[in-house]
Each structure stands twice: as structure tokens, then as C-alpha cells.
Amino acid sequence: MSNLMRLSDLQAARPPSAADQVFEALYQQVVTLGLPPGARLSEAEVARAAGVSRQPVRDAFWRLSQLGFLTIRPQRSTEVSAISVRAVQQARFVRTALEIEMVRLAAERFSLVEIATLEALLDDQAAAIAAGDRERFHGLDDEFHRQICVLCGHDYAWTLIREQKAHMDRVRFMSLSFGAQSALDDHVVILDALRAGDVPGSVVAMRTHLSRIEDHLPRIRAEHGEHFKSEG
């Protein structure tokens, strides 16, 4: 038994399946509004474009529907779901709870090696802002938060966080049209606290950073009201 790989090791070693690749491609298009709310998707057309059979596309559609990104009406249509403000707020609450614990642990554990990894990411983020590359910044933003989990030895936590934050991602992406620099500034404050081993300061900095979406929501809804669901 001692020679058997752990299931998590098997998962890490497994190359992305066709369904995984279709899921990731569609996920990114939904988040960056390449596929805006209301856009209709066809299994056959996506399968043809991706060069795969319809089963992986069907699997990817189901996973996206579980995240709230797609509304599937069997035998009728599949379309990108409108953004739910309530779901965004719930996702922020759960994400904050998880990331607060991760940053608390990071402040207690990180050495100069881990700090250097995060510093390099912030340099890349600054370059993305200078280039006006919103999609690259969005990916690097995620990578900053993911690396905190990975460098703490809890990379599985990022899987949970990513699932929970999906509802936030489209709003976060839209906020980068005016809020990318403030996001980077927040990351700098978080990193400074981690470098100093300041647990309370790290917690406050992360909580402040993740709460900004609440401040951005009114402006984003005013500018992109067509993307949001009507909720009573």
C-alpha cells in the first residue's frame, strides 16, 4: 500500500482531458465577456470548432452550468447566464473566509523565497497594466492569490476558492477597466504585510482587497446593466 500513489498525485499527473480544455476555453471567454450574457451556444458548433466529439462539450457545458455560467434548457437552448448580484455577494463572502485563513498562514510561514515569487508576479502585473492588457492582468491577479495557497502547501484550497469565486470573475474583469491599479496597490499592501510577518495586517489587507468588489458593483451595473439579472 505504501507504494501506491495518493489519489491527489494521480489527479496532478493526469493531463487535461478534452472536456477540461473545452471547459477552460469557454470559462475564459465567459469571464472576459467574449461570450456575454445571453449568448447562445451549440454543442455541435463548439465541438466542431474545438475538433472534439460532442461528449466533452456536453461535459464542459454541465460543469459551467454548475458554476452558474450557463443555463441549459434540454432540447431548446444553452445560453450564457446573466450575472446575479446576490450570487456575487455570496461568492465574495465565502472566498473571503477561505483566503483570510490562507493569508494568515502565509504571514506565519513565508520566507524570502516565497516573497520573491510573489514579488515577481507583482512586477508582471505592473507590466500588464502599462501595456493595457486587461486579460493578462486578470490571469496574473488570479495567479497571485493561487500562489499564496500553493506556497502554503494548500494548493487544493485554490480549487475550492476558484469554484466559489466564479460568480465574481465577470464583475472583477469588468472592474479592471478602471480598477486594475488599485488591485495592484492592494497586492503590494498584502505582500508588504506578508514580508513583515504581520498576521493582523495581512488579514486586514486581504479583507480590504476582496471587499472592493462591493464598492465597484454600483458603477459596473450602471455601465453594463444589460449583463445583470433582475432580482427582487
Side-chain angles (χ1 to χ4, degrees):
M1 292 292 291
S2 61
N3 292 327
L4 293 177
M5 293 177 69
R6 293 178 302 168
L7 289 176
S8 59
D9 293 332
L10 288 170
Q11 178 70 13
R14 181 177 65 86
S17 66
D20 292 335
Q21 294 177 56
V22 173
F23 170 83
E24 288 296 337
L26 292 175
Y27 184 102
Q28 292 304 321
Q29 288 189 58
V30 171
V31 167
T32 59
L33 302 176
L35 287 171
R40 293 199 169 192
L41 295 175
S42 158
E43 280 185 13
E45 290 177 3
V46 172
R48 186 163 50 253
V52 298
S53 69
R54 292 179 65 163
Q55 187 57 51
V57 176
R58 190 172 297 119
D59 292 345
F61 278 14
W62 182 83
R63 288 169 62 186
L64 290 163
S65 74
Q66 294 302 108
L67 293 178
F69 277 0
L70 293 186
T71 300
I72 300 174
R73 300 181 180 88
Q75 311 304 320
R76 292 175 57 194
S77 66
T78 295
E79 65 181 43
V80 178
S81 305
I83 299 169
S84 163
V85 170
R86 187 175 297 115
V88 170
Q89 293 169 332
Q90 291 171 345
R92 184 206 59 79
F93 178 84
V94 175
R95 181 184 183 183
T96 300
L98 291 168
E99 293 217 43
I100 287 295
E101 291 309 308
M102 292 310 306
V103 81
R104 190 193 307 276
L105 193 60
E108 294 171 349
R109 293 187 179 182
F110 278 8
S111 69
L112 293 178
V113 175
E114 289 81 15
I115 295 300
T117 298
L118 297 178
E119 286 174 339
L121 282 170
L122 295 197
D123 288 342
D124 290 342
Q125 289 175 16
I129 289 175
D133 192 338
R134 191 165 30 148
E135 289 190 30
R136 177 162 171 73
F137 182 86
H138 188 269
L140 289 166
D141 184 335
D142 268 2
E143 185 62 13
F144 177 79
H145 291 270
R146 188 183 79 86
Q147 281 296 330
I148 291 175
C149 300
V150 171
L151 295 171
C152 281
H154 295 291
D155 50 313
Y156 66 88
W158 180 250
T159 301
L160 299 176
I161 291 167
R162 191 186 188 207
E163 290 174 355
Q164 292 298 322
K165 77 182 184 67
H167 286 290
M168 299 171 61
D169 279 344
R170 288 182 287 182
V171 175
R172 286 177 55 242
F173 183 77
M174 285 186 280
S175 77
L176 295 181
S177 64
F178 59 86
Q181 185 61 53
S182 67
L184 175 56
D185 292 343
D186 284 350
H187 290 165
V188 170
V189 174
I190 293 167
L191 184 55
D192 285 346
L194 293 178
R195 187 185 293 109
D198 180 357
V199 174
S202 299
V203 168
V204 170
M206 184 63 80
R207 189 184 302 279
T208 299
H209 176 54
L210 295 179
S211 70
R212 291 198 190 280
I213 196 166
E214 297 282 357
D215 299 327
H216 294 329
L217 264 171
R219 175 174 176 176
I220 293 169
R221 289 186 73 186
E223 294 178 354
H224 303 282
E226 72 279 6
H227 294 330
F228 287 83
K229 180 187 298 184
S230 296
E231 296 174 300

